Amino acid sequence: MLFDDEKHLSEFQLAMRQFRRHRFALFCVVLLAGLYLSALLAGFLAPYSYKSEARDYSYAPPSRVHFWEHGYLTRPYIYGTRLTFNEYYQRIYKEDRSQKYPVKFFVKGDPYKILGVWPSSTHLFGVDAPARLYLLGADARGRDVLSRLLYGGQVSLSIGLIGVAISFSIGLLVGGAAGFYGGRVDNVLMRLCEMIMMVPGFYLLLALRAAVPDSFTSVQVYVAIIVILSFIGWAGLARIIRGMCLSLRERDYVLAARSLGVSDARIILRHILPHTMSYSIFAVMLSIPGYILGESALSLIGLGIQDPYASWGNMLSEAMSIVRIHFAPWILWPAFLIFVTVMSFNVIGNTLRDCLDPMLRGEATRDAA
Amino acid sequence: MPHNLLIIHHLTVTAPHLDGEDVLVDDISLEVAPDRVCALVGASGSGKTTTGLAIMRLLDPALKVTQGEICFEGENLLRATAQRMREVRGGGVGMIFQEPLSAFNPVFTLGFQVEEVLRYHTDLRRKDRKKRVLELFDMVGLPDPSRVARSYPHQLSGGMRQRVMIAQAIAAEPRLIIADEPTSSLDVTLQARIMELFRRLKRELSLSFLLITHDFGMVRHLADDILVMRDGGIVERGELATVLADPQHGYTQQLIEASEG
Amino acid sequence: MGRYVLQRLLVAIPMLLGMILITFILMRITPGNYLDTMKMDPQFSAETIERYQKLYQLDKPLWRQYLQWIFNVCRGEWGYSFHYNIPVAKIIGGRLLNTLILSLASFFLTWCVAIPLGIWAALRRDQWPDKVIQFGSYIFLSLPSFFVAMVLLFWASQTGILPLGGMYGPNFDRLSLGQQVLEVARHLVIPATALSLGSMAALQRIMRGNMLEVLGQKYILTARAKGLPEGRVIYTHALRNAVNPLITLLGYEFSGLLSGAALIEIICSWPGLGSLMLTAVRSKDIYLVMASMMMGGILFLVGNLLADIALAKVDPRIRYEGR
C-alpha cells in the first residue's frame, strides 16, 4: 500500500513538475486566479452596484482620470460631465472643468454583502455624487461597465465551476462503474452517454430551457441553467473516466489487490479513483469553457440570466447592435473577458494533458473507443 | 581495396545534447566484399543499428556524423546529393527491418508497397510492375503471391510479412542488403527458414549482406565474416571460422560461450 | 462492408428511439398542456382540438402516447406550430436545408484550411512558422464564435463589403440561378467564417499532432529506405495515416457544427434550424422545439453513420475485422 501511494504521487508530481516549466500556462493560472479573486471581492472592488443606474449618463465614455495638475503629480481626479448634443442629435459628453472630483479610496457607496453574508458598503475607490466614475464606460442605462463586469464575473465564472463539479461527480460515478465492471454494465451506460451526446448541445440547451417555467425567479433560473449544463456535460466526462478505469483495472497493483481479496469498493476508492481524478483534471479544465460559453450564449439571446443581474453573456446582448458598438465600443469588454478566461482554461488543460501524456498513452492503449 | 562493395572509414556518430554529446559510433572502419555475408554483432546499444542507418543516411536528425567516409561502390555516400541517395536507397543498398508489422504502412496493400519500389527505381510499365511483384513474391517463397499482393500487413503472419519485406528490399536489384535483426521477432522454425532464404538469395542474386544482429546462433549459420561491436567500437574482426576458433577479445569469448550454452 | 453498415444501422435505431423518448419526456415535463393554449385561442375550432386530442392520444395512458408519438414521427406528422400556424413538417424542411448549407460550407472551410496548415506546421516543427501558428490557434480556439460573428458584422458595417446578415437580399427571386448562388455565397461568408475559426484552430492542432506521431513511425523509415522521393513519403504514406483518426472525429465534429451553427444563425439572422428553434423556444411553441431537437439528433446520427462508413473505407484494419 505504501509503495502504491508513492507511485501515484510521483507520477502525478512528475507531471506537475513538468507543468511548472511552461511559463505561458503558469501565467494563465495566475490570470485565472486574479479573475476569480476579483469575482469574489466584486462588491469591494466595484465602485457601484450592478444595478445602480444613471440615465443621464447613458453610454458615457470611460472617464478621463487625471494624475497631473499644474505640472505636478497629484491625487487622481476627474471632472464633471456635461451632456450635449451635436447637429445629428447624438450624445456628446464633454468634460465640465468647473467641477473637480477627486478619486477617493475606501469610500462608502452602494451597499453589498461580502460573500453574500456580511453587509458592507465600503468600496475600494469612488467619487462623490453627482459625478460618476466610469473606468470602462457606461451601458445604456448608465450602469458602470466595470462594476457589472465584476458582478457578472461572479455569475459566469461560478457557473463554470459549479457546473463542472456536478458533471464530474456524476461522470465519476457512471464512468467509474462502467469502466470497472465492464461488460453489460459498461455497454448500457455508454449507450446512455452516447444518446445524450447525440443531440447537438445547443439544441438540447434550448429545449431544456424551454421546459423551465416562466415563473422562476432569477436565482432559480441560475440554478436551472447550472443543472441543464451539467446534464449535457456529464456524458463526455463519463466516457473519458470510463476509458481510464478500463485500463487501470488491468494494472498489476489492481490485480494484486484483487488476488488478496480486497473488496471491489475499496479497490475503486483507494486505487482507481485517485488515479482517475489526477488524470482527469485536464479533461475538467478543458470542459469548463463549455459551461461558460453555454451560459453566455443563453444569456446573449435573452434566455439566461436576466436583467438587472449581470452576467458577461447578457451584458453582450446590448452589443448585438452594430451601431452601438460603433459609438460605445466598451460594451465589448465582457467578450474580451470571456475570451481570456476560455483561453486560460484551454492553455492550462492542454498543457496538463501534454504533461500527463506519456503516462496517458501507456494507459490509453487498452481502450481505443 | 578499391573494388570492395562497401568501405567505411573512421566513422563517428554522436548525439549532441545540452551537457555535451554521447558517442554512439566511435571511429569505426569496416569493409564488405562482394558476395559475402558480413555479420555485425553486438549487444543492444553497441552502435550496430546506428551504423546501418548511417550507411543509408537515415539517422535521426538529432544525430550527427562528425567524421568519416562511407564509400559504396567507390562513391562517398556522406557527400552524395539527396537525389543520389534516393537512387542508392533501394537501388544500390536495400534494408530489411526487424519488426515487419510496424515496418509496413498499415493502410496500403503489400503489393502496392512493393510495387512502389519498382515504380521509382525502374522504367517498367504498370502491368509489368505487377507481374514483377508476383515474381518477387514467388522468389522469396510465398505461396499464392497474388493473394499476398492484395493483402494488408495485418492480415498476414509474421513469417510471411518478413518475406515480403525481403522481396521489397531486393526488388530494385541492390548489391548490398543491410538486414537489421531480421529474425528477432520470429520464432525458431521461421528463423531457420528465413536464414535459408538469405542463403539462397545470396547465391542466386549475387548479393552481399551486412547482417546486424545480437543473435550469435544466426551468425554461425550465415556469416562469412564477423565484426564484433561494443560500446560504439569494433573490438574484433575477421573471417568467421578464424574468430570462432581463436577469439582475441574477452568480449567475443563471452558471446561465443553464451551462444553455446 | 455491407455487413458493417448494417451493424452500425442496427446500433443507431435504438439510439434514435432513445432520443425520441428523451424529447417525449421533456415535452411532458413542460408545465402546461399545449392543448390549453389551443383551447384558449378562438381560431381553433372544436373539431380541430378534438382532432389533435385524438392524434396525440392525450386521453390515453402515457405509454400509449409515447407509441403514438413514435408512430406520428414515422408518418411525418410532427405536430403543429402555433407560432407559424402551419404543420411543423412544412416549415422544418426549408430551414433544415439552410442549416445544412451553412454547416457544410463551414465544414469545408475548416478542413481545407486546417489540414494543410497542420501539415505545414508539423513539417516545420518548432521553427517560427510553427510557433506562430500554434500561438494563433490557441487564440482562435478560445475566441467565442459569437464574438467573432459580432466583430465581423461590425467590420462589414464599416466597410460595406459583405452583407449584414440574412441569407439573401430583397431581389432574390428575380436573379438567375448563377446569381442566386453567388448571392447566397456572399451572405455565407461571415457566418461560415465565424463558425469555422474555432474548429479550424482545433483541427489544425490535432492534424499537426497526428502528423508528427505518424512521421515517427517505423514505416516512414521504411518508405525512405526504399528510396521514395520525400514528397511521396509525406503526402502519400504519412498523410493517409495522419488523416485516419480525424475521420472518427467527423461524427462529433458534425454535431458540434450543428450546435455552433444555431447560435451563429441567430446572430447573423441566417434562416436555419437553430434560429427556428430559438423562435420556437421564445414563443413556447412546443412541437416546433421538439421537432427541431429531434431533427438535430437525426442529423447527428446520419453524420456519424457517414463518418463510420468513411472510416471503414479508409482504414482497412477496421473493414476487415468487422469491428
Side-chain angles (χ1 to χ4, degrees):
Chain A
M1 290 302 153
L2 253 178
F3 180 79
D4 164 48
D5 281 354
E6 252 178 29
K7 190 166 177 258
H8 160 220
L9 280 175
S10 64
E11 272 179 13
F12 189 59
Q13 269 186 340
L14 268 172
M16 283 290 105
R17 228 171 286 160
Q18 258 203 309
F19 186 80
R20 262 175 245 149
R21 283 199 245 134
H22 289 88
R23 275 175 304 176
F24 192 39
L26 285 176
F27 171 69
C28 290
V29 173
V30 171
L31 203 59
L32 278 182
L35 282 170
Y36 274 90
L37 197 65
S38 59
L40 230 75
L41 299 174
F44 177 66
L45 293 172
Y48 299 100
S49 152
Y50 58 90
K51 51 184 173 189
S52 157
E53 300 182 7
R55 304 267 177 161
D56 292 333
Y57 288 91
S58 175
Y59 289 118
S63 310
R64 309 242 309 264
V65 182
H66 302 274
F67 291 90
W68 302 87
E69 190 177 24
H70 310 309
Y72 292 100
L73 197 61
T74 174
R75 179 195 201 126
Y77 62 93
I78 62 170
Y79 288 115
T81 318
R82 223 181 46 221
L83 178 60
T84 60
F85 294 88
N86 63 8
E87 61 264 29
Y88 298 109
Y89 297 104
Q90 286 167 337
R91 288 164 169 255
I92 307 272
Y93 290 93
K94 284 208 158 63
E95 270 184 338
D96 179 0
R97 299 217 161 201
S98 63
Q99 297 172 305
K100 225 176 78 172
Y101 296 92
V103 174
K104 296 189 181 157
F105 294 90
F106 294 98
V107 291
K108 287 251 174 274
D110 300 328
Y112 62 92
K113 292 207 183 102
I114 301 180
L115 293 182
V117 180
W118 299 287
S120 163
S121 52
T122 314
H123 296 266
L124 180 62
F125 60 89
V127 292
D128 290 332
R132 301 270 285 183
L133 176 60
Y134 292 119
L135 282 185
L136 293 178
D139 70 2
R141 297 196 221 159
R143 296 179 294 195
D144 177 27
V145 168
L146 175 63
S147 305
R148 280 177 66 81
L149 277 181
L150 287 165
Y151 280 102
Q154 284 184 330
V155 172
S156 301
L157 292 174
S158 63
I159 285 187
L161 287 187
I162 302 177
V164 95
I166 299 177
S167 293
F168 189 54
S169 314
I170 304 179
L172 264 182
L173 270 168
V174 174
F180 187 71
Y181 289 109
R184 196 163 285 169
V185 172
D186 179 28
N187 245 322
V188 165
L189 287 175
M190 282 306 112
R191 292 301 143 249
L192 182 63
C193 282
E194 276 173 42
M195 268 201 290
I196 294 183
M197 288 169 81
M198 201 167 70
V199 183
F202 197 64
Y203 288 76
L204 191 51
L205 194 62
L206 284 181
L208 287 172
R209 180 64 181 85
V212 172
D214 285 334
S215 56
F216 268 25
T217 68
S218 257
V219 178
Q220 288 173 312
V221 169
Y222 171 75
V223 171
I225 293 180
I226 293 186
V227 169
I228 293 175
L229 287 173
S230 311
F231 180 70
I232 299 176
W234 69 264
L237 281 174
R239 287 199 74 184
I240 296 183
I241 291 174
R242 166 246 188 199
M244 288 184 196
C245 283
L246 259 184
S247 55
L248 277 174
R249 189 176 60 157
E250 302 300 313
R251 275 215 178 161
D252 288 341
Y253 59 87
V254 173
L255 293 175
R258 278 184 126 160
S259 66
L260 286 172
V262 182
S263 75
D264 280 350
R266 201 178 158 83
I267 295 183
I268 297 182
L269 280 170
R270 284 221 60 200
H271 296 278
I272 297 193
L273 280 188
H275 273 81
T276 314
M277 288 210 279
S278 18
Y279 292 160
S280 18
I281 284 193
F282 80 88
V284 166
M285 290 275 151
L286 287 175
S287 54
I288 293 183
Y291 294 82
I292 297 181
L293 288 171
E295 180 272 320
S296 303
L298 268 186
S299 302
L300 185 70
I301 53 184
L303 292 176
I305 306 289
Q306 307 287 345
D307 251 7
Y309 296 98
S311 103
W312 288 344
N314 77 9
M315 285 171 79
L316 278 175
S317 55
E318 273 191 44
M320 293 253 269
S321 153
I322 296 171
V323 179
R324 279 185 227 143
I325 300 181
H326 181 75
F327 288 104
W330 47 89
I331 54 180
L332 284 176
W333 267 105
F336 178 68
L337 284 182
I338 294 177
F339 162 61
V340 166
T341 310
V342 165
M343 182 158 116
S344 302
F345 275 115
N346 276 336
V347 169
I348 296 174
N350 274 311
T351 313
L352 266 176
R353 178 171 54 191
D354 291 341
C355 289
L356 286 168
D357 189 271
M359 297 152 222
L360 266 182
R361 198 178 288 161
E363 300 178 32
T365 44
R366 258 225 85 215
D367 178 46
Chain B
M1 281 174 281
H3 53 262
N4 250 354
L5 199 54
L6 176 72
I7 306 178
I8 300 183
H9 262 169
H10 299 293
L11 178 70
T12 303
V13 179
T14 64
H17 55 82
L18 291 170
D19 303 321
E21 54 182 29
D22 292 328
V23 179
L24 299 175
V25 175
D26 195 359
D27 194 23
I28 66 166
S29 302
L30 65 91
E31 291 181 17
V32 180
D35 289 344
R36 305 275 283 183
V37 175
C38 181
L40 195 53
V41 198
S44 359
S46 54
K48 48 194 206 299
T49 302
T50 311
T51 308
L53 288 174
I55 298 172
M56 297 284 267
R57 284 185 61 191
L58 286 176
L59 288 172
D60 187 293
L63 303 178
K64 265 171 42 185
V65 175
T66 52
Q67 68 161 11
E69 276 187 354
I70 298 179
C71 292
F72 177 69
E73 293 183 328
E75 178 187 358
N76 185 358
L77 294 181
L78 292 176
R79 292 200 195 282
T81 62
Q83 170 71 5
R84 178 71 191 129
M85 269 322 293
R86 278 199 288 272
E87 289 166 17
V88 171
R89 291 186 197 126
V93 186
M95 194 152 181
I96 297 174
F97 295 95
Q98 172 179 351
E99 220 295 300
L101 181 55
S102 55
F104 278 115
N105 195 324
V107 298
F108 296 128
T109 61
L110 292 167
F112 175 90
Q113 294 188 54
V114 177
E115 195 191 321
E116 261 188 321
V117 182
L118 296 171
R119 183 168 159 193
Y120 288 95
H121 286 280
T122 68
D123 289 324
L124 293 174
R125 287 194 337 257
R126 194 141 170 260
K127 230 173 43 162
D128 299 323
R129 289 202 296 261
K130 288 194 181 301
K131 221 171 57 147
R132 182 81 189 124
V133 168
L134 295 177
E135 283 171 14
L136 285 165
F137 284 174
D138 192 42
M139 201 187 302
V140 296
L142 282 167
D144 200 352
S146 52
R147 183 178 77 88
V148 172
R150 281 196 312 268
S151 307
Y152 290 92
H154 68 276
Q155 292 176 302
L156 296 184
S157 70
M160 289 171 78
R161 275 197 293 266
Q162 191 60 292
R163 287 177 195 267
V164 175
M165 179 127 78
I166 295 171
Q168 184 179 258
I170 64 176
E173 296 174 24
R175 266 83 63 204
L176 171 68
I177 300 277
I178 302 177
D180 190 352
E181 309 277 8
T183 55
S184 306
S185 62
L186 304 174
D187 66 56
V188 188
T189 37
L190 285 174
Q191 280 182 14
R193 298 225 199 105
I194 297 289
M195 289 202 279
E196 176 52 47
L197 177 59
F198 277 179
R199 271 201 287 266
R200 183 158 63 82
L201 289 176
K202 175 191 163 202
R203 236 180 19 242
E204 288 177 15
L205 300 176
S206 250
L207 287 172
S208 286
F209 280 80
L210 179 61
L211 188 61
I212 300 177
T213 180
H214 62 266
D215 179 356
F216 219 86
M218 185 183 203
V219 174
R220 277 179 201 273
H221 282 109
L222 277 180
D224 297 317
D225 304 311
I226 172 172
L227 293 151
V228 181
M229 267 188 94
R230 190 186 183 200
D231 292 330
I234 295 183
V235 297
E236 181 142 9
R237 65 176 83 218
E239 285 193 20
L240 183 66
T242 323
V243 172
L244 280 183
D246 187 18
Q248 300 293 315
H249 199 273
Y251 184 60
T252 321
Q253 185 108 25
Q254 287 174 11
L255 284 177
I256 299 178
E257 281 168 16
S259 77
E260 285 167 1
Chain C
M1 181 69 185
R3 221 189 97 189
Y4 180 69
V5 174
L6 203 61
Q7 261 182 346
R8 302 305 293 167
L9 266 176
L10 283 177
V11 168
I13 292 185
M15 301 238 282
L16 188 60
L17 284 178
M19 197 189 47
I20 297 181
L21 182 62
I22 293 181
T23 64
F24 182 72
I25 293 175
L26 277 176
M27 241 169 43
R28 283 288 165 263
I29 66 179
T30 308
N33 183 345
Y34 29 90
L35 275 195
D36 290 337
T37 325
M38 274 179 105
K39 284 182 192 146
M40 285 198 293
D41 194 333
Q43 64 170 314
F44 290 106
S45 64
E47 295 97 52
T48 321
I49 296 180
E50 180 80 27
R51 190 163 66 86
Y52 271 93
Q53 189 104 7
K54 272 229 158 51
L55 198 57
Y56 292 98
Q57 306 261 343
L58 289 169
D59 37 351
K60 297 278 176 38
L62 272 177
W63 62 270
R64 280 220 61 179
Q65 288 188 35
Y66 174 54
L67 289 173
Q68 184 66 32
W69 175 242
I70 296 183
F71 185 53
N72 286 348
V73 165
C74 297
R75 266 196 314 170
E77 172 65 64
W78 285 30
Y80 193 84
S81 160
F82 304 118
H83 181 85
Y84 289 102
N85 251 334
I86 44 175
V88 166
K90 288 216 166 110
I91 192 175
I92 279 218
R95 295 297 192 110
L96 178 64
L97 183 64
N98 295 345
T99 294
L100 276 177
I101 292 177
L102 178 57
S103 304
L104 286 173
S106 166
F107 180 74
F108 277 119
L109 195 58
T110 302
W111 280 58
C112 289
V113 171
I115 305 265
L117 217 55
I119 299 175
W120 199 58
L123 293 178
R124 280 161 189 66
R125 182 187 197 169
D126 290 337
Q127 295 164 35
W128 278 116
D130 182 33
K131 289 196 168 157
V132 167
I133 293 179
Q134 289 320 102
F135 186 66
S137 37
Y138 262 134
I139 296 199
F140 286 127
L141 244 176
S142 316
L143 278 175
S145 59
F146 56 79
F147 181 50
V148 175
M150 286 198 256
V151 167
L152 284 176
L153 284 174
F154 178 60
W155 167 81
S157 76
Q158 299 295 346
T159 59
I161 295 180
L162 288 170
L164 293 179
M167 189 164 146
Y168 39 74
N171 288 335
F172 195 64
D173 295 324
R174 282 184 257 151
L175 297 172
S176 69
L177 185 60
Q179 285 173 318
Q180 281 185 342
V181 169
L182 211 60
E183 175 85 354
V184 172
R186 278 185 69 225
H187 283 85
L188 205 45
V189 173
I190 291 186
T193 308
L195 201 48
S196 326
L197 228 46
S199 335
M200 254 189 243
L203 194 63
Q204 178 275 127
R205 294 191 85 231
I206 297 178
M207 183 67 197
R208 174 187 179 271
N210 284 355
M211 198 69 183
L212 286 175
E213 189 178 330
V214 164
L215 285 174
Q217 295 290 328
K218 265 274 164 72
Y219 52 82
I220 297 296
L221 187 63
T222 309
R224 292 198 174 114
K226 287 192 321 200
L228 297 182
E230 190 68 6
R232 186 158 176 96
V233 173
I234 293 181
Y235 293 103
T236 307
H237 284 262
L239 191 55
R240 274 296 300 276
N241 282 280
V243 171
N244 273 359
L246 294 179
I247 302 199
T248 36
L249 285 180
L250 264 181
Y252 289 108
E253 270 258 328
F254 200 54
S255 162
L257 202 59
L258 284 178
S259 219
L263 187 58
I264 298 292
E265 283 176 21
I266 294 168
I267 297 179
C268 297
S269 321
W270 181 267
L273 206 52
S275 47
L276 180 68
M277 183 131 179
L278 177 66
T279 319
V281 168
R282 278 198 176 133
S283 48
K284 293 276 186 187
D285 200 347
I286 287 303
Y287 286 114
L288 202 49
V289 172
M290 294 310 150
S292 310
M293 203 173 84
M294 217 165 44
M295 199 71 225
I298 292 177
L299 278 179
F300 174 82
L301 269 175
V302 171
N304 247 14
L305 190 63
L306 288 174
D308 283 339
I309 294 178
L311 183 65
K313 271 209 129 54
V314 159
D315 191 342
R317 287 172 289 188
I318 298 210
R319 206 191 314 169
Y320 288 104
E321 282 172 41
R323 290 184 75 236

